[in-house]
Amino acid sequence: METLIGLIVFGLIIGIPLYKREHTFNNRISPDGYKTDYGAMNHDLTNGMSKNDVKDKFNRGGYDIPDPYSKKK
């Protein structure tokens, strides 16, 4: 019984941060006046950057570029 409880706690400790990263990546919206540079994201992936590194960079705003067609000034 203790082993089962330990495995559940261990799974929660590992699983929650992984789920949070994925959830943020799937639901993030660029700030007003910016857009996401998917070309740079694909370039990083093809140059060997891991998916997790790309997700972390995206979540930090590393692929946000100014949108020249934005109405916000």
Side-chain angles (χ1 to χ4, degrees):
M1 187 64 168
E2 295 85 13
T3 305
L4 180 61
I5 293 171
L7 288 173
I8 291 171
V9 170
F10 180 73
L12 289 174
I13 291 171
I14 299 299
I16 289 175
L18 294 176
Y19 175 76
K20 185 175 184 294
R21 173 192 291 154
E22 189 73 26
H23 178 76
T24 304
F25 179 75
N26 289 332
N27 295 304
R28 185 177 181 279
I29 299 173
S30 295
D32 288 338
Y34 289 87
K35 66 178 185 174
T36 301
D37 187 4
Y38 292 105
M41 188 183 299
N42 286 326
H43 184 264
D44 287 344
L45 284 169
T46 57
N47 283 337
M49 199 174 198
S50 73
K51 287 183 181 179
N52 286 334
D53 290 340
V54 169
K55 286 178 184 179
D56 289 340
K57 185 176 178 182
F58 177 76
N59 289 340
R60 290 190 312 268
Y63 295 110
D64 291 340
I65 57 172
D67 187 4
Y69 302 109
S70 174
K71 295 178 182 176
K72 183 166 178 134
K73 299 196 184 213

